[in-house]
Amino acid sequence: MRILYLNPYSRGLSGADESLLALLQQVITRGVKPALILPAPGPNVQRYQALGVDVHYAPLALIGRRTSATERALFLPRALRNSVRVARIARDVGAELIHSNMEVALEGGIAARLLGIPHVFHYRGNTNDDPKIVFDVLTAIWTALADRIFCISQGTAAVFQRRNRGEKVRVLYNPIVIGPYRDAAVDPAIRSELGAGDEDILVGTVARLHPRKDLETMVNAAAELVQRFPNLRFVVVGGAEAPVEKAYELELASLIKARGLSDRFRLAGPR
């Protein structure tokens, strides 16, 4: 089977990329012949190509909370124009199905409808479906453009279910590839780099520094926990690339300082 995957971002550290790469490793062994559309060349292209994925490029109009009035006005004509290009690529590679790896790009769904082939949306959004009227419209659009919607959690699936749009929805948790780490030894040098001594308990998460990750909750929880467990240390591993992420990184650093965690909570960056 030939499947065209569409990934709306082309950047370094991305949970959507890691999830898609893990998925491709499995479906290729089951006879799937994948092609991929990215909006631009990026650091993960070689990883996709190493799996035998045929990589193509096409512009994509992305849904976002922080967009200007001009961008919102131009979104639909751009998405329609881009969809024609996606449809051409899908036809050229002989795609029998299109899989959009995130819900922020509609081109995969529109192209699939133009070609009369199935389309799958992977909904990776958070559970903050506010403003309600906007998500009422978006869930209607996503449902209309998809034959199946895979949500990464029960919480994200509820965004559709509470609007009575859950018929096409299935929960599919993100895979975690544990093979490379199964036999890894504890490395005191790395623990030290992350701010933890031999007797400390290190609590960490891996995430892009984006407001949707709600990392301030982790900071505030850490401030409460260290009062009871003084040997706790905390770390966030992940980078900030987009302007909104860089601004969020500064906000987190200020919160860490304000909560008195400068020597206990580390933003370790991408690694």
Side-chain angles (χ1 to χ4, degrees), residues 67-116:
T67 55
S68 67
T70 300
E71 289 174 319
R72 289 194 293 271
L74 293 174
F75 174 80
L76 184 56
R78 284 176 175 170
L80 292 174
R81 183 178 66 246
N82 297 343
S83 298
V84 173
R85 185 164 176 181
V86 170
R88 287 174 183 159
I89 295 173
R91 187 178 58 242
D92 290 344
V93 302
E96 300 167 74
L97 179 147
I98 297 177
H99 181 154
S100 293
N101 196 40
M102 288 185 72
E103 73 285 351
V104 295
L106 302 180
E107 285 88 343
I110 297 172
R113 293 297 182 252
L114 290 173
L115 296 171

Side-chain angles (χ1 to χ4, degrees), residues 29-47:
T29 64
R30 291 163 170 78
V32 168
K33 293 181 170 92
L36 171 66
I37 290 179
L38 296 172
N44 284 312
V45 170
Q46 289 185 340
R47 297 176 67 192

